Amino acid sequence: MGKSRSHWLCFPFLKLSSGFRRFPLSKRSLIIASVCVVYLFFVVSQVGHSQQQRDRRTDKDKYRHTRGLYHVDINDALPDSVDVQTGASFAVPTRSNVVYITLKSKRLKPANIRGTIRPKLRRKVRRTKSANSAFTQNKLGTLDQDAGQTKRNRSHKTSWGETRDVDYQSLDIIDKSHIDAQTDSHVSSIRIYSQRAPPWLSPQDVRAMRFLADAKVLRIKEVSRGDSPSLLIFEGRTNGSITNQKHTKLSNVCGGQCGVISRPVDTTEVFAFHLDRVLGLNRTLPAVSRKFSFLHDGQPCPVVSWDASLYPGDLAAGWSTVRLTWGEYQSSLKQRCWHKNTSPKPDSGCSTVHHYEWSKLALFDFLLQIHNRLDPSCCGFRPRQEDVCGELGHHTECRDQNHIKLTNIIYRGHDPRHLVFTNNKGFFDRNEDNLDFRLLDGIKELPEQAVSVLKSRRLREKLLQSLFLDQMYWESQGGRQGIDKLIDVIERRAKVLLTYINAHGIKVIAMNV
């Protein structure tokens, strides 16, 4: 039965093949060619149809990504052990993944570090041209006329100097970053994807960074300081405003928690903050990079935490400053003032600053080549024409170096033994053959913790981990490729400093004071 069925199935094929063999050679070749052409046409049509389907699918995916249609549900991804903290838009990790940063210094393309937070939804905000142009040109004086019809605008003189106060809600100027925070309340520009921040950043540092980066701007003030440049201060508010800072003063300058907005060119403030924490010095104020839609055409600006304890008197009187000349500074280094908590003699010429603070300041300023504190006249290097000391003619003061006054030596009013490193304007474009070694004159000891970080060859790794937290600064510097170039400069200077330590017999000791 099976054989007969197979015979009937194969019979048409056998009959066709026997008839095909009777055809002449030319007809057989023509039939074979025709079959090949038909088969080729069928294959090409199928390939083209599948390619069109694939292109449509990719276009659809791109449209969904640009519109932010891919949603990530973070509710189920949060572990039970995570405590919900109140703070400046505290962002919890969306997944329990770990972000790895490779340490290859030469890359053809910057590393693509994938985030786990869905894209932000952008909204266009209408702003009045008068207010926007006024802030873009940084002419806050014209805002008094525009804000004269508002409810809360006022202009007055107080003991803290002349202030101009503008309520931005009444001017219908809303911070663009806060609009994003309203759209995605759990999204923060401070990226912490693990359960805790790097160990060199304290919880207070993280809270301050989140406030500076994500807080809603309530008011902004231009505060004059006599002969010093005026300060641009913003007062912010978060869902859980932080007011537990130590020694915080409530004044007409800042009624809550505030930040000082610097110029876009002063981005080294952010790098200096992270370098200070990585080295274990802890002498700078928290700083982040942030965009304001009504300032500097939306360019990223460094924002530094406001600390009222730096002004124990009034703002017009200026900082709590140590007033020393270069000769008095060198004499105090020899006296080792306040070493081992020993009170100096009245005629010793010592200041209120502990001896170890000068060592920390010298190391920090040398790595960043900050000369405006210990070398304001640029006597230790060849200044450029565009440098401040060159424009103002301070370089000529180097003929009488002992009488050159040190500047920007600041401490808190309640803590005169420890310095605060502010106005950290560093230079990354200074070559190794033009470094300012005058910053290290008279220094015989350096902090062990900071030097150990420089020797351990983990400086790059720690700086990458720390700077990656500030997404705005990371992107403004060109991503991983730009950050690597900055760290390359610091690493080269660290090698020069280690060589200087060995050549001059400088002691490396613990400075836990």
Side-chain angles (χ1 to χ4, degrees):
M1 186 69 181
K3 292 182 179 180
S4 60
R5 183 178 299 174
S6 61
H7 176 73
W8 284 106
L9 292 175
C10 297
F11 178 75
F13 176 75
L14 295 175
K15 186 176 180 180
L16 182 63
S17 61
S18 62
F20 180 75
R21 284 194 296 269
R22 297 193 188 97
F23 291 150
L25 181 61
S26 60
K27 285 188 177 182
R28 282 186 288 176
S29 301
L30 182 61
I31 292 172
I32 293 174
S34 301
V35 172
C36 292
V37 170
V38 172
Y39 178 74
L40 181 62
F41 177 78
F42 175 77
V43 171
V44 171
S45 63
Q46 290 295 323
V47 172
H49 180 70
S50 62
Q51 184 66 28
Q52 290 179 0
Q53 293 292 335
R54 189 178 298 108
D55 292 341
R56 291 176 182 174
R57 190 179 298 109
T58 55
D59 293 340
K60 187 176 180 180
D61 291 341
K62 290 180 180 179
Y63 174 79
R64 290 171 64 90
H65 277 293
T66 55
R67 294 296 181 183
L69 298 177
Y70 286 104
H71 299 280
V72 179
D73 188 7
I74 67 169
N75 295 328
D76 298 334
L78 290 175
D80 297 335
S81 60
V82 177
D83 296 331
V84 179
Q85 302 183 12
T86 60
S89 301
F90 188 81
V92 295
T94 56
R95 295 178 185 171
S96 59
N97 64 333
V98 179
V99 178
Y100 293 96
I101 301 179
T102 58
L103 298 180
K104 295 182 179 179
S105 59
K106 296 182 179 179
R107 303 181 62 92
L108 298 178
K109 295 181 179 180
N112 183 17
I113 302 178
R114 297 181 59 189
T116 59
I117 299 176
R118 66 188 177 92
K120 297 180 179 179
L121 300 179
R122 303 288 181 182
R123 289 184 185 177
K124 294 183 179 179
V125 180
R126 294 182 179 179
R127 301 187 294 269
T128 57
K129 286 186 177 181
S130 60
N132 190 17
S133 61
F135 278 102
T136 304
Q137 298 174 6
N138 201 13
K139 296 179 180 178
L140 296 177
T142 59
L143 281 175
D144 293 334
Q145 300 176 359
D146 297 335
Q149 301 174 357
T150 62
K151 297 180 180 179
R152 301 177 59 184
N153 183 36
R154 59 189 178 273
S155 178
H156 57 275
K157 289 186 177 181
T158 64
S159 62
W160 286 77
E162 182 182 355
T163 62
R164 299 187 184 93
D165 185 8
V166 179
D167 189 339
Y168 286 110
Q169 292 178 343
S170 60
L171 285 179
D172 195 22
I173 300 178
I174 304 175
D175 188 9
K176 188 175 181 181
S177 62
H178 183 66
I179 295 174
D180 299 333
Q182 288 180 340
T183 304
D184 294 323
S185 59
H186 66 279
V187 175
S188 172
S189 61
I190 303 301
R191 305 180 290 189
I192 301 178
Y193 294 156
S194 57
Q195 296 299 325
R196 57 181 64 177
W200 49 85
L201 293 175
S202 66
Q204 292 78 11
D205 290 335
V206 176
R207 287 197 293 267
M209 291 171 64
R210 290 196 186 280
F211 168 80
L212 296 173
D214 306 323
K216 179 181 179 181
V217 176
L218 297 181
R219 286 180 297 275
I220 190 169
K221 300 179 181 181
E222 184 187 29
V223 184
S224 62
R225 298 184 297 166
D227 297 335
S228 302
S230 59
L231 293 178
L232 196 60
I233 301 175
F234 82 90
E235 183 177 347
R237 183 186 67 192
T238 59
N239 294 333
S241 295
I242 307 165
T243 58
N244 60 346
Q245 281 188 331
K246 295 182 178 180
H247 310 286
T248 299
K249 287 186 178 182
L250 298 180
S251 64
N252 60 336
V253 175
C254 177
Q257 191 171 9
C258 301
V260 181
I261 305 174
S262 302
R263 300 174 303 169
V265 295
D266 297 332
T267 56
T268 50
E269 284 281 1
V270 182
F271 191 97
F273 162 67
H274 290 276
L275 178 63
D276 168 74
R277 295 303 192 265
V278 167
L279 295 178
L281 302 177
N282 299 322
R283 292 295 180 268
T284 61
L285 300 174
V288 301
S289 187
R290 176 171 178 170
K291 288 183 179 179
F292 296 91
S293 57
F294 46 80
L295 279 177
H296 305 296
D297 296 328
Q299 299 181 45
C301 305
V303 183
V304 185
S305 182
W306 164 260
D307 191 346
S309 64
L310 300 178
Y311 301 90
D314 54 19
L315 197 61
W319 314 91
S320 300
T321 307
V322 179
R323 304 186 184 277
L324 287 174
T325 63
W326 176 258
E328 294 170 345
Y329 165 65
Q330 291 295 318
S331 176
S332 66
L333 292 179
K334 297 177 182 179
Q335 296 286 338
R336 299 174 61 86
C337 302
W338 303 101
H339 182 59
K340 296 182 179 180
N341 294 325
T342 303
S343 300
K345 298 179 180 180
D347 57 347
S348 62
C350 287
S351 65
T352 60
V353 180
H354 194 279
H355 175 68
Y356 288 160
E357 294 297 295
W358 302 114
S359 299
K360 297 178 181 179
L361 178 64
L363 181 143
F364 182 75
D365 283 3
F366 181 82
L367 291 177
L368 290 173
Q369 286 298 292
I370 302 173
H371 65 83
N372 62 1
R373 284 188 273 258
L374 299 176
D375 190 13
S377 300
C378 307
C379 300
F381 65 100
R382 300 183 300 275
R384 302 170 299 179
Q385 293 182 354
E386 58 269 22
D387 289 336
V388 176
C389 55
E391 293 179 351
L392 301 179
H394 293 329
H395 195 61
T396 58
E397 299 176 358
C398 297
R399 300 171 183 174
D400 188 9
Q401 298 186 11
N402 287 334
H403 291 84
I404 296 177
K405 294 181 179 179
L406 307 187
T407 59
N408 202 27
I409 309 297
I410 300 169
Y411 60 89
R412 291 182 174 90
H414 63 274
D415 187 14
R417 298 286 180 270
H418 300 95
L419 296 176
V420 179
F421 302 164
T422 61
N423 295 338
N424 300 305
K425 186 178 181 180
F427 295 88
F428 290 90
D429 56 349
R430 192 171 297 164
N431 297 328
E432 280 71 26
D433 59 349
N434 193 28
L435 295 179
D436 191 356
F437 284 94
R438 180 180 171 85
L439 303 173
L440 300 174
D441 283 357
I443 300 298
K444 304 300 181 182
E445 303 98 357
L446 287 175
E448 180 182 14
Q449 183 177 359
V451 176
S452 63
V453 174
L454 301 180
K455 289 182 177 180
S456 65
R457 298 183 180 179
R458 295 191 61 191
L459 178 63
R460 177 180 296 272
E461 175 187 349
K462 292 184 176 182
L463 282 176
L464 284 173
Q465 291 178 6
S466 192
L467 292 169
F468 179 76
L469 302 183
D470 192 342
Q471 182 179 5
M472 187 65 64
Y473 180 78
W474 183 276
E475 294 176 354
S476 66
Q477 299 301 313
R480 170 67 185 272
Q481 197 171 24
I483 297 295
D484 271 331
K485 292 180 180 179
L486 299 180
I487 300 178
D488 287 342
V489 175
I490 301 300
E491 282 189 332
R492 289 195 295 267
R493 293 175 183 174
K495 292 180 180 179
V496 174
L497 178 60
L498 294 176
T499 304
Y500 182 91
I501 292 173
N502 295 330
H504 292 78
I506 296 178
K507 298 180 181 179
V508 178
I509 59 177
M511 297 185 178
N512 300 322
V513 293

